[in-house]
Amino acid sequence: WMVQKASAVVQRSTIGPCGRSGIVLFGDSKLFFENGQIQKCKLHGICARGGSSTIIKHSKVRNSGVRGMYAYHSASLDLNNVIVSETKNSRASAIQIEALRPGDHARLRVLHCHLENNLGRGLSIAGTVTCDIDSSVSIDSDIPAATQLNIS
């Protein structure tokens, strides 16, 4: 768990199995995660809230019980060459980001990522969220393509 102004650089590591979430960020925490894997977390692979900032590169988040990544309030997610796969909750998205309170503004950047074999939607975005999603992002699931992306 990272709180307030904590920061970490994590490279070539595996996190999990976990009884809750693999990595949790609160406040203005900052995480740089590269060439690693987060796996078999009971809730979320990564949960980020407040003004936290998460950068993930060349990594995998797999077998999460609910969501691979969940960011809310004014958190930011920057994903580059990330695979999110095998989430287990059909009512939750593999990646969910939302900024629903007045004054919240979340940010999402997704480059060269793949969402594979997740039970729920691929990507869910709600509220005041600035997005940069490149055309190489792929979502592979049994859910019809028209419902893979949820923006509200």
Side-chain angles (χ1 to χ4, degrees), residues 2-92:
M2 300 174 61
V3 296
Q4 301 311 328
K5 295 185 180 191
S7 64
V9 174
V10 181
Q11 295 175 311
R12 295 175 295 283
S13 297
T14 297
I15 296 175
C18 300
R20 294 193 51 83
S21 295
I23 298 174
V24 180
L25 297 94
F26 294 102
D28 293 317
S29 299
K30 296 183 182 353
L31 171 69
F32 179 83
F33 190 90
E34 184 176 36
N35 295 314
Q37 183 166 264
I38 301 168
Q39 63 183 10
K40 299 178 184 174
C41 299
K42 183 116 178 142
L43 295 178
H44 316 300
I46 296 173
C47 180
R49 63 175 273 189
S52 62
S53 172
T54 304
I55 298 171
I56 304 173
K57 293 183 175 186
H58 308 285
S59 297
K60 295 178 183 179
V61 178
R62 50 186 296 274
N63 285 311
S64 298
V66 181
R67 296 174 188 92
M69 296 176 202
Y70 181 38
Y72 58 105
H73 294 166
S74 292
S76 71
L77 278 177
D78 186 334
L79 312 174
N80 189 336
N81 285 293
V82 175
I83 296 172
V84 180
S85 65
E86 304 170 67
T87 57
K88 305 297 181 200
N89 189 318
S90 62
R91 292 173 285 158

